[in-house]
Each structure stands twice: as C-alpha cells, then as structure tokens.
Amino acid sequence: MLNIIAGSLSVGVTPSTSSYESIATITVGSGGAANIEFTSIPSTFEHLQIRLFVRPTSTSNGPVFMQCNSDTGSNYTRHSVRGDGSTAYASGSTSQTSMYFNGYNVYAGATDRPTVSIIDILDYKNTNKYKTVRTLAGLENNGSGEVGLYSGMWMNTNAITSIKLFDNVNYGEYTQAALYGIKGS
Amino acid sequence: MAAGATYEPIATTTLGSAQASVTFSSISSSYTDIILICRHATNVGGNTFLRFNGDSGSNYSVTFLRADGSTASSARGSNESQVTLESFGFPTPDFGAITTAHIMNYSNSTTFKTVLSRGSNANSGSGVSAVVNLWRDTAAINSITISSSASTFSTNSVFTIYGIKAA
C-alpha cells in the first residue's frame, strides 16, 4: 500500500500493483448473516486489509466487532476518536472480548445507507508481537451519521489465521467484506 | 488462494496549467471500490469537492471529524450540492495537501454511495481530518468531477484514481 501511494506521488514512478492482492470476498445473501468470517488466511503477506460495506437490516446499522482466531476471551483493547456531526469523542477500554469499529448504532431509517469500514491489520503473522488493527469507518445519513478512527489490539502473539466480524444484529443482504493481502518487498 | 493483482491505476491527471476542475469520465464498472488520491494545491486555499455523474443537486451530505493542532471537533453539512473531502480550507498555494478518498462499492445499483476520506495539511491553522460523505443516488458512479472552493487547482497538481477489485 505504501509503495503504491509513494508511486503515485512521485512523478514518473509507476506504482507497483502486484503487492496488493484479493484473498477472499464474502457477500451476504438474502436473509442476512449473523457474522462474516475469513478462515485459513494464508501467511504469505505482511499485512491484511478488509474493506467492509455493510448494508443495514431493518433494525440496526450496528457497530462492527472483530475477533481473531476464535478467541472470545478478554484479550482485546479498543481506542477511538469519532465525530457525530457536533461533538468529537475519544474513548478507550481494555480487557474486552472483541475489537470494535464504527460506533454508529442507530438505524438510519433505510437500508440504502451503508456503513463502510477500511480495516488495516498490521503485521498479522508476526509471532513476536501482539496484533494491532487500525480502522477508518463511517456512516452518513443527511442530518445524522458518524465518522471515526479506531484502533484495536489482540493481545496474542499467534499469527492471525481467521477473522470474524459480527454485528449486534444481522448483517443485511448485499453486505460485502473483501479481504486483501499486502506483500512486503 | 490469492487472486492476483487487484489494485490498478485507472487514470492520472497532472495539471500543466491552473485549472478549475478535473473530471474522470467513462469509469469502468468492473471494480469494487475506487480510490482517489489528490496531491494538490489551489490558488487561494479551499476545500476540495467531488460530484458524481454530473449531479449538482442537493443530493450530498457530510460529517467531519477534524483536529487543528489544539482542538478536535466535529461538524456536519446536509443537502449539499457536492461531496466535501476536507474542511480546513486547504490546500493553499504554498502548502499543498494530500487527500485520499475511498468511494466504496461505487458501481452497485442498490444503495446510496458512501465516501470515506482523510485529509492533511501541515500549514498553520490547518490540520487533519476524517470525513464521511453520502451521495443519495443508487446509480453506479461513472464520472467524478473534482473542484475546489478556491478558483483553481495549481499547476503540477496530480489526481489519480485507482480501482480495487475484490475476488
């Protein structure tokens, strides 16, 4: 990703586009889904990115919760800075059972206003450190909405091999999560 | 199994002279998301705007999160006539800015279109911002027009769109 951006900012340098690869895409069908899970994530990349497009159900836009390797223990931390159109908020918490992105949790009133998140999972296979996740996310609803920067940490040195994303209600039909791998040099 | 290269440059415009706007048209619908990267300056400093498919109606809205070096704040705009990518009135002539906008699921015809962007400018009085915009139209996006509240984008401003293709 950095190479690509550096390439685009440097006149005459062609960005390398072979370092960013699509791994898997999950699209929710009719009836919705309680969660989205990527499994058997290959260890051939340096970083991962999930680009998440959530179409709301009739009841909630919902936050996004994330767990790694099926760990449901209190092994996660959360931080965020977000704005709701009038106030900027900062928060943090430890010993959580999941990471948390996109705090908007009010039904937008229609299923045509998606919540979107770009989730960067850095150094996901490194067995010497805990895993850090960084997210830009938002929902806009012409008079309401929220945008924020979120970070989370999974306090485990295992390589990440699976990622589960879940809502407090079902993800609606056409919700799509795309997992990408970013290679090092 | 990885599907191969999926982050492709679609088009780049580098301004040889000052220009009021830049348009990318006939955008292929074969990608999942579009990323717009602006490395730009303007003649007097202004916000950067987008319009999709030539729509100049009051069909856009925005929520900002921003920090100016001392204070974090949030603001909103409703029934706007364009997408707003930043909120500090940058980039100015001497201090260029970098803005990255993610136009998510741009070619779907089921939902409205959401844009996530980040802007930054190191000039005194400027800062950093995270912004979400909504275009209330279910049509697939096939053109993007970039403009500014300033008069013109400066010479050597660079605008690039990339397509990201999911598996």
Side-chain angles (χ1 to χ4, degrees):
Chain A
M1 179 66 75
L2 291 176
N3 179 51
I4 292 168
I5 294 174
S8 72
L9 297 179
S10 303
V11 175
V13 175
T14 301
S16 168
T17 57
S18 62
S19 57
Y20 186 98
E21 296 184 2
S22 176
I23 299 173
T25 301
I26 298 172
T27 302
V28 175
S30 62
N35 59 71
I36 293 170
E37 189 164 12
F38 295 103
T39 60
S40 302
I41 296 172
S43 61
T44 51
F45 302 99
E46 291 297 317
H47 312 296
L48 301 173
Q49 183 177 84
I50 297 173
R51 302 180 70 88
L52 179 63
F53 174 90
V54 175
R55 184 172 181 232
T57 65
S58 60
T59 58
S60 174
N61 284 82
V64 176
F65 299 98
M66 175 174 158
Q67 291 172 332
C68 302
N69 293 14
S70 303
D71 183 0
T72 59
S74 300
N75 300 314
Y76 302 88
T77 66
R78 306 169 177 172
H79 286 91
S80 68
V81 56
R82 56 190 175 88
D84 66 359
S86 61
T87 304
Y89 301 91
S91 66
S93 54
T94 60
S95 301
Q96 300 296 305
T97 57
S98 67
M99 288 177 274
Y100 170 90
F101 312 123
N102 203 345
Y104 202 79
N105 193 29
V106 175
Y107 174 48
T111 59
D112 54 9
R113 290 131 212 256
T115 302
V116 295
S117 306
I118 301 168
I119 304 167
D120 291 314
I121 305 150
L122 307 173
D123 236 5
Y124 73 104
K125 66 179 183 181
N126 190 316
T127 56
N128 297 307
K129 61 175 73 171
Y130 294 163
K131 308 305 182 287
T132 298
V133 180
R134 179 189 69 181
T135 298
L136 169 64
L139 161 71
E140 172 55 33
N141 189 30
N142 195 36
S144 62
E146 188 171 288
V147 62
L149 299 168
Y150 301 82
S151 70
M153 183 172 65
W154 180 43
M155 294 180 289
N156 193 304
T157 57
N158 288 339
I160 293 175
T161 58
S162 69
I163 295 169
K164 178 180 175 182
L165 303 171
F166 55 100
D167 196 339
N168 54 359
V169 292
N170 280 358
Y171 289 123
E173 183 183 12
Y174 304 120
T175 292
Q176 184 178 81
L179 175 66
Y180 299 88
I182 299 167
K183 288 185 175 179
S185 59
Chain B
M1 174 71 74
T6 57
Y7 192 121
E8 298 180 351
I10 299 173
T12 295
T13 295
T14 303
L15 299 187
S17 60
Q19 194 165 309
S21 66
V22 173
T23 296
F24 294 102
S25 58
S26 301
I27 297 172
S28 167
S29 63
S30 62
Y31 301 100
T32 305
D33 303 326
I34 293 286
I35 295 180
L36 166 67
I37 297 179
C38 306
R39 183 171 66 100
H40 56 322
T42 54
N43 59 322
V44 295
N47 291 329
T48 305
F49 302 127
L50 305 180
R51 280 182 175 155
F52 300 131
N53 298 4
D55 182 5
S56 59
S58 301
N59 300 316
Y60 306 84
S61 58
V62 59
T63 296
F64 301 104
L65 170 67
R66 52 194 173 185
D68 63 6
S70 62
T71 304
S73 62
S74 184
R76 161 164 295 122
S78 302
N79 299 312
E80 304 283 324
S81 60
Q82 56 234 331
V83 164
T84 305
L85 295 184
E86 326 100 348
S87 63
F88 282 106
F90 54 79
T92 56
D94 295 326
F95 291 84
I98 297 175
T99 300
T100 305
H102 299 260
I103 307 166
M104 308 290 284
N105 233 261
Y106 73 104
S107 64
N108 93 82
S109 56
T110 302
T111 70
F112 296 162
K113 307 304 181 290
T114 301
V115 181
L116 283 174
S117 62
R118 296 187 66 173
S120 61
N121 186 295
N123 192 15
S124 175
S126 292
V128 297
S129 61
V131 188
V132 60
N133 281 267
L134 181 72
W135 179 45
R136 298 190 308 281
D137 197 310
T138 58
I141 293 172
N142 53 55
S143 75
I144 301 170
T145 298
I146 310 161
S147 64
S148 174
S149 55
S151 297
T152 57
F153 291 118
S154 303
T155 304
N156 295 322
S157 292
V158 181
F159 304 89
T160 302
I161 57 170
Y162 296 87
I164 292 185
K165 189 177 295 187

